[in-house]
PDB file of all heavy atoms in Angstrom:
ATOM      1  N   ALA A  18      10.670   5.221  -8.744  1.00 97.00           N
ATOM      2  CA  ALA A  18      11.239   6.111  -9.766  1.00 97.00           C
ATOM      3  C   ALA A  18      11.388   7.524  -9.198  1.00 97.00           C
ATOM      4  O   ALA A  18      11.209   8.503  -9.922  1.00 97.00           O
ATOM      5  CB  ALA A  18      10.352   6.112 -11.012  1.00 97.00           C
ATOM      6  N   ALA A  19      11.728   7.606  -7.906  1.00 96.00           N
ATOM      7  CA  ALA A  19      11.700   8.914  -7.227  1.00 96.00           C
ATOM      8  C   ALA A  19      13.010   9.683  -7.321  1.00 96.00           C
ATOM      9  O   ALA A  19      13.155  10.721  -6.686  1.00 96.00           O
ATOM     10  CB  ALA A  19      11.298   8.725  -5.765  1.00 96.00           C
ATOM     11  N   GLY A  20      13.976   9.208  -8.112  1.00 97.00           N
ATOM     12  CA  GLY A  20      15.234   9.936  -8.245  1.00 97.00           C
ATOM     13  C   GLY A  20      16.014   9.957  -6.938  1.00 97.00           C
ATOM     14  O   GLY A  20      15.765   9.155  -6.030  1.00 97.00           O
ATOM     15  N   VAL A  21      16.970  10.869  -6.863  1.00 97.00           N
ATOM     16  CA  VAL A  21      17.804  10.999  -5.661  1.00 97.00           C
ATOM     17  C   VAL A  21      17.890  12.474  -5.279  1.00 97.00           C
ATOM     18  O   VAL A  21      17.612  13.353  -6.085  1.00 97.00           O
ATOM     19  CB  VAL A  21      19.246  10.471  -5.905  1.00 97.00           C
ATOM     20  CG1 VAL A  21      19.248   8.969  -6.126  1.00 97.00           C
ATOM     21  CG2 VAL A  21      19.925  11.199  -7.072  1.00 97.00           C
ATOM     22  N   ASP A  23      20.573  15.341  -4.215  1.00 95.00           N
ATOM     23  CA  ASP A  23      22.014  15.606  -4.287  1.00 95.00           C
ATOM     24  C   ASP A  23      22.443  16.440  -3.090  1.00 95.00           C
ATOM     25  O   ASP A  23      21.856  17.485  -2.825  1.00 95.00           O
ATOM     26  CB  ASP A  23      22.355  16.386  -5.561  1.00 95.00           C
ATOM     27  CG  ASP A  23      22.059  15.600  -6.819  1.00 95.00           C
ATOM     28  OD1 ASP A  23      22.546  14.461  -6.920  1.00 95.00           O
ATOM     29  OD2 ASP A  23      21.336  16.110  -7.685  1.00 95.00           O
ATOM     30  N   TRP A  35      23.785  25.084  -9.191  1.00 96.00           N
ATOM     31  CA  TRP A  35      23.738  23.676  -9.602  1.00 96.00           C
ATOM     32  C   TRP A  35      22.910  23.544 -10.881  1.00 96.00           C
ATOM     33  O   TRP A  35      21.768  23.972 -10.929  1.00 96.00           O
ATOM     34  CB  TRP A  35      23.105  22.882  -8.464  1.00 96.00           C
ATOM     35  CG  TRP A  35      23.072  21.388  -8.528  1.00 96.00           C
ATOM     36  CD1 TRP A  35      21.987  20.606  -8.243  1.00 96.00           C
ATOM     37  CD2 TRP A  35      24.155  20.490  -8.786  1.00 96.00           C
ATOM     38  NE1 TRP A  35      22.328  19.282  -8.325  1.00 96.00           N
ATOM     39  CE2 TRP A  35      23.654  19.170  -8.661  1.00 96.00           C
ATOM     40  CE3 TRP A  35      25.498  20.658  -9.118  1.00 96.00           C
ATOM     41  CZ2 TRP A  35      24.433  18.034  -8.864  1.00 96.00           C
ATOM     42  CZ3 TRP A  35      26.281  19.527  -9.313  1.00 96.00           C
ATOM     43  CH2 TRP A  35      25.751  18.244  -9.193  1.00 96.00           C
ATOM     44  N   GLY A  36      23.518  23.003 -11.911  1.00 95.00           N
ATOM     45  CA  GLY A  36      22.811  22.846 -13.185  1.00 95.00           C
ATOM     46  C   GLY A  36      22.939  24.060 -14.085  1.00 95.00           C
ATOM     47  O   GLY A  36      22.560  24.002 -15.261  1.00 95.00           O
ATOM     48  N   VAL A  39      27.425  24.944 -12.282  1.00 97.00           N
ATOM     49  CA  VAL A  39      28.052  23.876 -11.480  1.00 97.00           C
ATOM     50  C   VAL A  39      27.413  22.548 -11.885  1.00 97.00           C
ATOM     51  O   VAL A  39      26.182  22.433 -11.887  1.00 97.00           O
ATOM     52  CB  VAL A  39      27.860  24.132  -9.967  1.00 97.00           C
ATOM     53  CG1 VAL A  39      28.517  23.019  -9.153  1.00 97.00           C
ATOM     54  CG2 VAL A  39      28.419  25.488  -9.565  1.00 97.00           C
ATOM     55  N   HIS A  41      27.972  17.919 -12.499  1.00 95.00           N
ATOM     56  CA  HIS A  41      28.709  16.723 -12.077  1.00 95.00           C
ATOM     57  C   HIS A  41      29.024  15.791 -13.257  1.00 95.00           C
ATOM     58  O   HIS A  41      29.847  14.906 -13.129  1.00 95.00           O
ATOM     59  CB  HIS A  41      27.948  15.953 -10.996  1.00 95.00           C
ATOM     60  CG  HIS A  41      26.750  15.198 -11.507  1.00 95.00           C
ATOM     61  ND1 HIS A  41      25.709  15.825 -12.154  1.00 95.00           N
ATOM     62  CD2 HIS A  41      26.435  13.893 -11.463  1.00 95.00           C
ATOM     63  CE1 HIS A  41      24.802  14.931 -12.478  1.00 95.00           C
ATOM     64  NE2 HIS A  41      25.218  13.748 -12.080  1.00 95.00           N
ATOM     65  N   CYS A  45      27.356  15.323 -19.999  1.00 94.00           N
ATOM     66  CA  CYS A  45      26.187  16.197 -20.172  1.00 94.00           C
ATOM     67  C   CYS A  45      26.609  17.632 -20.453  1.00 94.00           C
ATOM     68  O   CYS A  45      25.950  18.323 -21.231  1.00 94.00           O
ATOM     69  CB  CYS A  45      25.329  16.195 -18.909  1.00 94.00           C
ATOM     70  SG  CYS A  45      24.605  14.592 -18.516  1.00 94.00           S
ATOM     71  N   HIS A  46      27.661  18.121 -19.792  1.00 94.00           N
ATOM     72  CA  HIS A  46      27.939  19.565 -19.807  1.00 94.00           C
ATOM     73  C   HIS A  46      29.319  19.952 -20.292  1.00 94.00           C
ATOM     74  O   HIS A  46      29.579  21.140 -20.486  1.00 94.00           O
ATOM     75  CB  HIS A  46      27.698  20.139 -18.405  1.00 94.00           C
ATOM     76  CG  HIS A  46      26.291  19.991 -17.956  1.00 94.00           C
ATOM     77  ND1 HIS A  46      25.273  20.782 -18.423  1.00 94.00           N
ATOM     78  CD2 HIS A  46      25.715  19.095 -17.127  1.00 94.00           C
ATOM     79  CE1 HIS A  46      24.130  20.396 -17.889  1.00 94.00           C
ATOM     80  NE2 HIS A  46      24.369  19.373 -17.101  1.00 94.00           N
ATOM     81  N   SER A 141      15.286   8.409  -1.258  1.00 93.00           N
ATOM     82  CA  SER A 141      14.156   8.597  -0.337  1.00 93.00           C
ATOM     83  C   SER A 141      14.054   7.310   0.492  1.00 93.00           C
ATOM     84  O   SER A 141      14.603   6.278   0.116  1.00 93.00           O
ATOM     85  CB  SER A 141      12.862   8.829  -1.128  1.00 93.00           C
ATOM     86  OG  SER A 141      12.315   7.591  -1.529  1.00 93.00           O
ATOM     87  N   LEU A 143      11.765   5.234   0.732  1.00 94.00           N
ATOM     88  CA  LEU A 143      10.789   4.247   0.239  1.00 94.00           C
ATOM     89  C   LEU A 143      11.404   2.863   0.021  1.00 94.00           C
ATOM     90  O   LEU A 143      10.827   1.849   0.425  1.00 94.00           O
ATOM     91  CB  LEU A 143      10.150   4.751  -1.061  1.00 94.00           C
ATOM     92  CG  LEU A 143       9.347   6.050  -0.960  1.00 94.00           C
ATOM     93  CD1 LEU A 143       8.876   6.491  -2.343  1.00 94.00           C
ATOM     94  CD2 LEU A 143       8.161   5.864  -0.024  1.00 94.00           C
ATOM     95  N   CYS A 176      13.877   2.183 -11.260  1.00 98.00           N
ATOM     96  CA  CYS A 176      14.495   2.674 -12.496  1.00 98.00           C
ATOM     97  C   CYS A 176      14.982   4.104 -12.314  1.00 98.00           C
ATOM     98  O   CYS A 176      14.586   4.800 -11.379  1.00 98.00           O
ATOM     99  CB  CYS A 176      13.511   2.582 -13.654  1.00 98.00           C
ATOM    100  SG  CYS A 176      12.027   3.567 -13.416  1.00 98.00           S
ATOM    101  N   GLY A 177      15.823   4.531 -13.243  1.00 97.00           N
ATOM    102  CA  GLY A 177      16.351   5.896 -13.185  1.00 97.00           C
ATOM    103  C   GLY A 177      17.426   6.022 -12.125  1.00 97.00           C
ATOM    104  O   GLY A 177      18.089   5.052 -11.752  1.00 97.00           O
ATOM    105  N   ASP A 178      17.597   7.249 -11.632  1.00 97.00           N
ATOM    106  CA  ASP A 178      18.694   7.521 -10.694  1.00 97.00           C
ATOM    107  C   ASP A 178      18.597   6.699  -9.414  1.00 97.00           C
ATOM    108  O   ASP A 178      19.610   6.457  -8.753  1.00 97.00           O
ATOM    109  CB  ASP A 178      18.705   9.013 -10.327  1.00 97.00           C
ATOM    110  CG  ASP A 178      19.283   9.887 -11.431  1.00 97.00           C
ATOM    111  OD1 ASP A 178      19.629   9.345 -12.504  1.00 97.00           O
ATOM    112  OD2 ASP A 178      19.383  11.111 -11.222  1.00 97.00           O
ATOM    113  N   VAL A 179      17.381   6.251  -9.061  1.00 97.00           N
ATOM    114  CA  VAL A 179      17.215   5.395  -7.878  1.00 97.00           C
ATOM    115  C   VAL A 179      18.088   4.146  -7.996  1.00 97.00           C
ATOM    116  O   VAL A 179      18.602   3.630  -7.005  1.00 97.00           O
ATOM    117  CB  VAL A 179      15.728   4.962  -7.761  1.00 97.00           C
ATOM    118  CG1 VAL A 179      15.559   3.785  -6.823  1.00 97.00           C
ATOM    119  CG2 VAL A 179      14.868   6.114  -7.302  1.00 97.00           C
ATOM    120  N   GLY A 184      23.489   8.672 -13.465  1.00 86.00           N
ATOM    121  CA  GLY A 184      22.618   8.365 -14.600  1.00 86.00           C
ATOM    122  C   GLY A 184      22.446   9.549 -15.532  1.00 86.00           C
ATOM    123  O   GLY A 184      23.131  10.569 -15.427  1.00 86.00           O
ATOM    124  N   SER A 185      21.531   9.395 -16.462  1.00 94.00           N
ATOM    125  CA  SER A 185      21.213  10.477 -17.397  1.00 94.00           C
ATOM    126  C   SER A 185      19.754  10.290 -17.791  1.00 94.00           C
ATOM    127  O   SER A 185      19.137   9.253 -17.502  1.00 94.00           O
ATOM    128  CB  SER A 185      22.104  10.408 -18.631  1.00 94.00           C
ATOM    129  OG  SER A 185      21.710   9.307 -19.430  1.00 94.00           O
ATOM    130  N   VAL A 186      19.222  11.285 -18.494  1.00 96.00           N
ATOM    131  CA  VAL A 186      17.821  11.199 -18.912  1.00 96.00           C
ATOM    132  C   VAL A 186      17.615   9.982 -19.819  1.00 96.00           C
ATOM    133  O   VAL A 186      16.633   9.246 -19.669  1.00 96.00           O
ATOM    134  CB  VAL A 186      17.411  12.503 -19.629  1.00 96.00           C
ATOM    135  CG1 VAL A 186      16.053  12.354 -20.290  1.00 96.00           C
ATOM    136  CG2 VAL A 186      17.410  13.674 -18.640  1.00 96.00           C
ATOM    137  N   THR A 187      18.551   9.768 -20.737  1.00 96.00           N
ATOM    138  CA  THR A 187      18.364   8.647 -21.665  1.00 96.00           C
ATOM    139  C   THR A 187      18.391   7.303 -20.925  1.00 96.00           C
ATOM    140  O   THR A 187      17.582   6.417 -21.209  1.00 96.00           O
ATOM    141  CB  THR A 187      19.446   8.650 -22.758  1.00 96.00           C
ATOM    142  OG1 THR A 187      20.683   9.018 -22.191  1.00 96.00           O
ATOM    143  CG2 THR A 187      19.102   9.587 -23.884  1.00 96.00           C
ATOM    144  N   ALA A 189      17.591   6.878 -17.786  1.00 97.00           N
ATOM    145  CA  ALA A 189      16.383   6.807 -16.945  1.00 97.00           C
ATOM    146  C   ALA A 189      15.173   6.393 -17.778  1.00 97.00           C
ATOM    147  O   ALA A 189      14.353   5.578 -17.347  1.00 97.00           O
ATOM    148  CB  ALA A 189      16.141   8.157 -16.267  1.00 97.00           C
TER     149      ALA A 189
HETATM  150  C1  FAD B   1      22.674  19.433 -12.242  1.00 81.60           C
HETATM  151  C2  FAD B   1      22.282  18.270 -13.112  1.00 81.60           C
HETATM  152  C3  FAD B   1      22.366  18.376 -14.485  1.00 81.60           C
HETATM  153  C4  FAD B   1      22.037  17.293 -15.292  1.00 81.60           C
HETATM  154  N1  FAD B   1      22.133  17.425 -16.646  1.00 81.60           N
HETATM  155  C5  FAD B   1      21.792  16.399 -17.440  1.00 81.60           C
HETATM  156  C6  FAD B   1      21.842  16.528 -18.853  1.00 81.60           C
HETATM  157  O1  FAD B   1      22.220  17.575 -19.384  1.00 81.60           O
HETATM  158  N2  FAD B   1      21.495  15.443 -19.607  1.00 81.60           N
HETATM  159  C7  FAD B   1      21.086  14.262 -19.037  1.00 81.60           C
HETATM  160  O2  FAD B   1      20.759  13.320 -19.761  1.00 81.60           O
HETATM  161  N3  FAD B   1      21.025  14.121 -17.704  1.00 81.60           N
HETATM  162  C8  FAD B   1      21.358  15.156 -16.892  1.00 81.60           C
HETATM  163  N4  FAD B   1      21.285  15.016 -15.535  1.00 81.60           N
HETATM  164  C9  FAD B   1      20.857  13.734 -14.962  1.00 81.60           C
HETATM  165  C10 FAD B   1      19.337  13.575 -15.078  1.00 81.60           C
HETATM  166  O3  FAD B   1      18.703  14.761 -14.613  1.00 81.60           O
HETATM  167  C11 FAD B   1      18.877  12.380 -14.243  1.00 81.60           C
HETATM  168  O4  FAD B   1      19.669  11.239 -14.538  1.00 81.60           O
HETATM  169  C12 FAD B   1      17.417  12.070 -14.548  1.00 81.60           C
HETATM  170  O5  FAD B   1      16.612  13.208 -14.325  1.00 81.60           O
HETATM  171  C13 FAD B   1      16.943  10.918 -13.679  1.00 81.60           C
HETATM  172  O6  FAD B   1      15.566  10.748 -13.908  1.00 81.60           O
HETATM  173  P1  FAD B   1      14.674  10.067 -12.788  1.00 81.60           P
HETATM  174  O7  FAD B   1      13.291  10.038 -13.371  1.00 81.60           O
HETATM  175  O8  FAD B   1      15.281   8.834 -12.272  1.00 81.60           O
HETATM  176  O9  FAD B   1      14.691  11.088 -11.534  1.00 81.60           O
HETATM  177  P2  FAD B   1      14.178  12.581 -11.445  1.00 81.60           P
HETATM  178  O10 FAD B   1      14.325  13.304 -12.724  1.00 81.60           O
HETATM  179  O11 FAD B   1      14.879  13.145 -10.228  1.00 81.60           O
HETATM  180  O12 FAD B   1      12.620  12.448 -11.161  1.00 81.60           O
HETATM  181  C14 FAD B   1      12.132  11.900  -9.948  1.00 81.60           C
HETATM  182  C15 FAD B   1      10.792  12.559  -9.639  1.00 81.60           C
HETATM  183  O13 FAD B   1      10.199  11.910  -8.488  1.00 81.60           O
HETATM  184  C16 FAD B   1       9.666  12.910  -7.627  1.00 81.60           C
HETATM  185  N5  FAD B   1       9.611  12.396  -6.260  1.00 81.60           N
HETATM  186  C17 FAD B   1      10.633  12.134  -5.418  1.00 81.60           C
HETATM  187  N6  FAD B   1      10.195  11.655  -4.248  1.00 81.60           N
HETATM  188  C18 FAD B   1       8.853  11.611  -4.344  1.00 81.60           C
HETATM  189  C19 FAD B   1       7.816  11.200  -3.442  1.00 81.60           C
HETATM  190  N7  FAD B   1       8.076  10.727  -2.224  1.00 81.60           N
HETATM  191  N8  FAD B   1       6.546  11.303  -3.882  1.00 81.60           N
HETATM  192  C20 FAD B   1       6.258  11.762  -5.128  1.00 81.60           C
HETATM  193  N9  FAD B   1       7.192  12.155  -6.023  1.00 81.60           N
HETATM  194  C21 FAD B   1       8.475  12.069  -5.612  1.00 81.60           C
HETATM  195  C22 FAD B   1      10.636  14.074  -7.772  1.00 81.60           C
HETATM  196  O14 FAD B   1      10.048  15.275  -7.363  1.00 81.60           O
HETATM  197  C23 FAD B   1      10.923  14.037  -9.277  1.00 81.60           C
HETATM  198  O15 FAD B   1       9.967  14.774 -10.008  1.00 81.60           O
HETATM  199  C24 FAD B   1      21.603  16.088 -14.698  1.00 81.60           C
HETATM  200  C25 FAD B   1      21.511  15.980 -13.304  1.00 81.60           C
HETATM  201  C26 FAD B   1      21.832  17.057 -12.515  1.00 81.60           C
HETATM  202  C27 FAD B   1      21.718  16.935 -11.009  1.00 81.60           C
END
Side-chain angles (χ1 to χ4, degrees):
V21 293
D23 296 307
W35 187 226
V39 180
H41 74 301
C45 296
H46 298 284
S141 83
L143 298 175
C176 61
D178 284 3
V179 164
S185 72
V186 170
T187 39

